[in-house]
């Protein structure tokens, strides 16, 4: 079966996977889609169909209506808790073991890479399972459940919020610096399941290209980055990534 599949991939792509020494991977919401997590721009279903993500994932939206924003994240937290990592997440965890230098950068806030066994994941946009104080900007692991929505910070009594990065907010400095470093030092870069429209994450494959890496995009749909990719595989990552790695003899 692998031999048949191998024929479907460009031989230079297989060679790039086999000869790479330093690999960087950027993932987006599409990688979790096959687990049943709605992608960011498809997330407006059910209760949330009347809201645009840009009206919910901003500090202004939280100031305007903290209850609405908290409840949107609570809905998403419950969704994430109810799903499992998929074959794409597991393929990346396996891939890490085969390269001397391997960095997994994610825009996802769902923690599914870690649950699939990936270590040292660079989280650019935070993690939905953590909570922080909106005023003090510190992670708050526990609070008293008084029924208040959003719950209140035990220290300052201000609102708690998810520990994620909203539009207009800075990314965690260590995470974005490390992401830029590994993107400029790699010889193979994979861009998986991202619409490539949100910056600064969208600049990472461009950095990798500029520094001479082979850049592979996997996405069922075309993105603004597609014309620049060295190879573009138009398919779901949970199917094509395991196939590709098997064809190259990586996993
Ligand atoms: C599959 C699939 C399958 C489906 N297999 N694939 C430079 C130029 C222009 C604007 C800016 C700029 N620099 C900064 C900005 C402003 C802004 C920005 O980028 N705006 C753009 C929208 C224009 N960026 C920021 O504000 C960032 N902060 C910042 O830069 O601070 C300094 C600064 C501020 C202001 C001005 C200038 C500088 C912060 C960005 C934070 C993003 N936060 C979010 C929310 C996180 C919390 C949460 O989850 O609620 O992060 S927004 C949302 O988008 C989320 C995602 O991580 C992110 C990326 O989305 P992603 O992952 O690509 O998902 P989708 O849904 O868009 O796409 C899914 C893809 O999967 C699709 O392509 C499908 O086809 C595909 N797919 N099934 C593979 N099975």
């Amino acid at each position: 079966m692998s031999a048949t599949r191998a024929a479907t991939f460009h031989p230079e792509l297989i060679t790039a996977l086999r000869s790479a020494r330093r690999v960087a991977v950027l993932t987006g919401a599409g990688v979790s889609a096959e687990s049943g997590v709605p992608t960011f721009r498809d997330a407006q279903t059910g209760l949330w169909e009347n809201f645009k993500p840009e009206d919910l994932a901003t500090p202004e939206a939280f100031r305007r209506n903290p209850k609405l924003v908290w409840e949107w994240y609570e809905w998403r937290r419950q969704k994430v808790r109810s799903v499992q990592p998929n074959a794409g997440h597991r393929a990346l965890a396996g891939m890490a073991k085969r390269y001397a230098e391997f960095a997994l950068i994610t825009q996802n806030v769902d923690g599914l890479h870690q649950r699939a066994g990936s270590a040292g994941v660079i989280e650019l946009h935070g993690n939905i399972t953590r909570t922080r104080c909106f005023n003090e900007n510190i992670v708050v692991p526990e609070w008293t459940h008084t029924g208040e929505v959003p719950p209140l910070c035990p220290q300052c009594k201000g609102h708690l919020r998810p520990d994620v990065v909203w539009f207009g907010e800075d990314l965690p400095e260590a995470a974005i610096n490390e992401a830029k470093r590994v993107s400029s030092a790699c010889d193979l870069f994979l861009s998986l399941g991202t619409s490539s429209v949100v910056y600064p994450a969208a600049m990472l494959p461009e950095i990798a290209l500029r520094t001479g890496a082979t850049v592979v995009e996997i996405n069922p749909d075309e993105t603004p980055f597609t014309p620049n990719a060295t190879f573009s595989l138009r398919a779901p990552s949970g199917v094509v990534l395991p196939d590709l790695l098997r064809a190259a003899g990586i996993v």
Side-chain angles (χ1 to χ4, degrees):
M1 182 163 153
S2 340
T4 311
R5 300 257 195 204
T8 67
F9 296 107
H10 197 292
E12 284 177 20
L13 172 55
I14 298 293
T15 303
L17 276 151
R18 287 183 179 154
S19 61
R21 302 180 65 82
R22 293 181 299 275
V23 178
V25 181
L26 172 68
T27 64
V31 165
S32 293
E34 288 152 272
S35 291
V37 182
T39 60
F40 195 80
R41 280 153 190 87
D42 296 339
Q44 313 320 111
T45 54
L47 270 181
W48 309 101
E49 64 190 355
N50 296 324
F51 300 96
K52 286 192 299 197
E54 289 77 5
D55 293 340
L56 292 167
T58 68
E60 294 75 27
F62 188 78
R63 278 195 197 92
R64 204 164 45 236
N65 196 338
K67 184 169 185 288
L68 173 72
V69 175
W70 179 270
E71 285 178 343
W72 186 55
Y73 279 96
E74 195 50 36
W75 173 73
R76 292 175 55 199
R77 274 188 210 105
Q78 282 171 14
K79 185 80 186 160
V80 161
R81 273 197 291 265
S82 72
V83 304
Q84 299 301 323
N86 64 54
H89 295 110
R90 290 192 296 275
L92 288 169
M95 196 181 174
K97 299 184 185 121
R98 293 297 304 269
Y99 291 100
E101 290 181 43
F102 182 90
L104 178 54
I105 310 159
T106 191
Q107 298 169 85
N108 297 345
V109 298
D110 55 29
L112 285 173
H113 285 304
Q114 291 88 336
R115 284 170 57 194
S118 287
V121 181
I122 303 171
E123 292 184 321
L124 294 181
H125 294 163
N127 192 304
I128 202 171
T129 62
R130 286 191 307 264
T131 298
R132 71 178 137 105
C133 174
F134 187 72
N135 297 334
E136 300 168 300
N137 216 20
I138 49 167
V139 171
V140 175
E142 285 179 358
W143 59 89
T144 310
H145 294 263
T146 59
E148 197 97 28
V149 182
L152 302 180
C153 171
Q155 297 294 329
C156 76
K157 308 299 177 206
H159 283 139
L160 295 180
R161 58 165 283 179
D163 187 20
V164 298
V165 181
W166 285 329
F167 285 113
E169 295 185 319
D170 286 329
L171 277 66
E173 204 180 335
I176 187 63
N177 287 345
E178 180 63 0
K180 286 181 189 165
R181 189 191 69 75
V182 296
S183 301
S184 61
C186 69
D187 41 36
L188 175 68
F189 186 101
L190 308 186
S191 177
L192 310 178
T194 176
S195 54
S196 293
V197 296
V198 175
Y199 284 82
M203 75 164 64
L204 299 172
E206 302 285 356
I207 291 175
L209 263 187
R210 275 204 301 274
T211 48
T214 298
V215 182
V216 183
E217 180 185 67
I218 300 182
N219 195 314
D221 292 335
E222 196 164 322
T223 76
F225 181 72
T226 306
N228 302 331
T230 323
F231 296 98
S232 182
L233 307 180
R234 208 64 62 73
S237 53
V239 176
V240 80
L241 182 64
D243 277 357
L244 175 62
L245 297 181
R246 269 194 298 273
I250 304 295
V251 296

